[in-house]
Amino acid sequence: MKLVVLSGGGGGARLTRGLADTLEPGELTVVGNVGDDLEVLGLHVSPDLDSLLYTLSGLIDEDRRWGRAGETWNVLESVGAWGGEDWFRLGDLDVGLHLVRTQALREGVALSEITARLAGRVGLRCSILPATDDRLRTRVATPAGTFAFQEWYVGRGHRDEVDAVEYVGAREASPAPGVLHALQAADAVVFAPSNPYLSIGPILAVSAIRRAIERRSVRCVAVSPLVGGQAVSGPAGRMLSRMAGGTTPDFVAQSHKDLIDALVIDRSDAPGAADVPVTAPEIELVVTSTLMHDRGAERRLADVVLEAACA
Ligand code: GDP
């Protein structure tokens, strides 16, 4: 079965690992968010692509849930001591990847090509494609002003409420090579449990990707990133409350309006018999446990998603 998953780097990467464990090598293509990318200390960092790479290869720090296991921080300490920019956490092992990627980009290699090379180095069983090779950057408008994504997320600890999200460059961006082909060849499409505004939104902002999903003839299944009406981590719950008006499955479904056939939600969010869906009644709800506390839970959720995708 050929599957395309749209994913950020957190919850998305863990469901992707569950799917990769279940599917045959070559069946899974992950389209990753690049709206969080940034240039820091002269390095091009792609946090979501890297989280996918680290999670799928087993290099991720499972406790921190980002960056590499066994990481050390000598470079960053030295940067700080020399008066350099040290607000963005870059570990020593992590820097190695950024150096290799940045050099390749400077030599004219596309982001998709260098991502494929990196994935090849760690022997991944699936393909990771950036949504686009073009420059696409998420910005957030808050009551304290408008910020570049990482300035708000890391620099300000995402403490400001978000009123609007903008994907700078999306209008001119083309899908990276392979993305449209993967979507056209897919037997199903999955939106991972990633932030709808910050991870899935920037991918769908590439209009040819959105169009390909709108025109698909196969099922598209989204997994809610909320458990008990709240994000497992990060600002998705707060953002949905403020920007969409609520955090019930109805509001999550509404954030993917016209794009999905089914929404997988946690048992704790299952609507009662008396609750009538108001915003997206045509979307089928699939109720299961969606908290991925270990590899077994990732695989169990992946199985439910695959079943919903084949229904
Ligand atoms: P980011 O790029 O690191 O923000 O990663 P994502 O957007 O892929 O993931 C962040 C989202 O994953 C958050 O909204 C979390 O609520 C969600 N998430 C994290 N762990 C889990 C989990 O175990 N289950 C579910 N359903 N969502 C999760």
Side-chain angles (χ1 to χ4, degrees):
M1 171 183 198
K2 289 207 176 304
L3 195 74
V4 173
V5 180
L6 273 49
S7 178
R14 285 204 297 288
L15 175 66
T16 301
R17 180 164 61 181
L19 290 164
D21 284 350
T22 307
L23 292 168
E24 295 298 320
E27 287 189 324
L28 179 62
T29 300
V30 194
V31 179
N33 169 40
V34 293
D36 300 7
D37 286 20
L38 75 161
E39 289 75 32
V40 61
L41 297 167
L43 301 175
H44 178 110
V45 183
S46 294
D48 284 5
L49 298 181
D50 296 345
S51 288
L52 284 163
L53 205 55
Y54 292 158
T55 302
L56 290 164
S57 63
L59 293 171
I60 190 101
D61 184 308
E62 296 283 355
D63 297 328
R64 201 169 54 232
R65 297 196 157 186
W66 58 271
R68 287 194 49 176
E71 188 58 282
T72 53
W73 305 92
N74 297 307
V75 170
L76 201 69
E77 273 164 34
S78 174
V79 166
W82 288 108
E85 255 189 289
D86 61 356
W87 61 276
F88 193 81
R89 307 283 296 153
L90 294 176
D92 300 334
L93 296 170
D94 197 27
V95 163
L97 185 160
H98 306 317
L99 287 167
V100 171
R101 175 197 289 123
T102 304
Q103 183 185 26
L105 290 171
R106 293 225 173 107
E107 286 166 357
V109 179
L111 182 61
S112 52
E113 170 60 29
I114 181 67
T115 304
R117 283 187 205 167
L118 295 166
R121 294 290 300 185
V122 284
L124 293 196
R125 292 156 47 95
C126 63
S127 308
I128 303 178
L129 298 174
T132 179
D133 281 336
D134 299 326
R135 189 183 166 88
L136 188 165
R137 294 288 183 275
T138 301
R139 288 180 70 80
V140 293
T142 80
T146 298
F147 300 101
F149 177 78
Q150 296 293 356
E151 194 187 343
W152 169 73
Y153 195 83
V154 175
R156 298 175 65 85
H158 50 78
R159 64 176 183 265
D160 319 278
E161 298 297 338
V162 179
D163 292 316
V165 180
E166 190 190 352
Y167 310 113
V168 180
R171 202 168 302 151
E172 305 78 41
S174 308
V179 172
L180 291 184
H181 179 261
L183 283 169
Q184 277 146 14
D187 296 308
V189 178
V190 170
F191 294 177
S194 294
N195 189 309
Y197 301 105
L198 302 177
S199 295
I200 304 296
I203 301 173
L204 295 171
V206 179
S207 47
I209 296 182
R210 171 179 277 274
R211 250 196 327 271
I213 296 175
E214 280 169 351
R215 292 179 185 165
R216 75 192 181 279
S217 55
V218 298
R219 277 170 71 82
C220 180
V221 178
V223 183
S224 171
L226 305 185
V227 173
Q230 295 185 336
V232 179
S233 59
R238 274 165 54 210
M239 292 178 76
L240 272 159
S241 288
R242 190 174 170 98
M243 294 168 67
T247 61
T248 62
D250 235 14
F251 290 99
V252 178
Q254 183 68 10
S255 72
H256 302 308
K257 197 170 172 338
D258 300 331
L259 294 172
I260 61 170
D261 302 295
L263 177 69
V264 179
I265 59 167
D266 191 72
R267 291 183 202 289
S268 57
D269 293 312
D275 296 334
V276 181
V278 282
T279 50
E282 71 286 2
I283 294 171
E284 175 198 341
L285 287 183
V286 178
V287 181
T288 189
S289 297
T290 70
L291 200 57
M292 295 171 282
H293 41 75
D294 58 23
R295 296 288 293 266
E298 292 171 9
R299 279 194 287 268
R300 280 192 294 279
L301 182 56
D303 286 343
V304 172
V305 169
L306 288 171
E307 203 175 308
C310 294

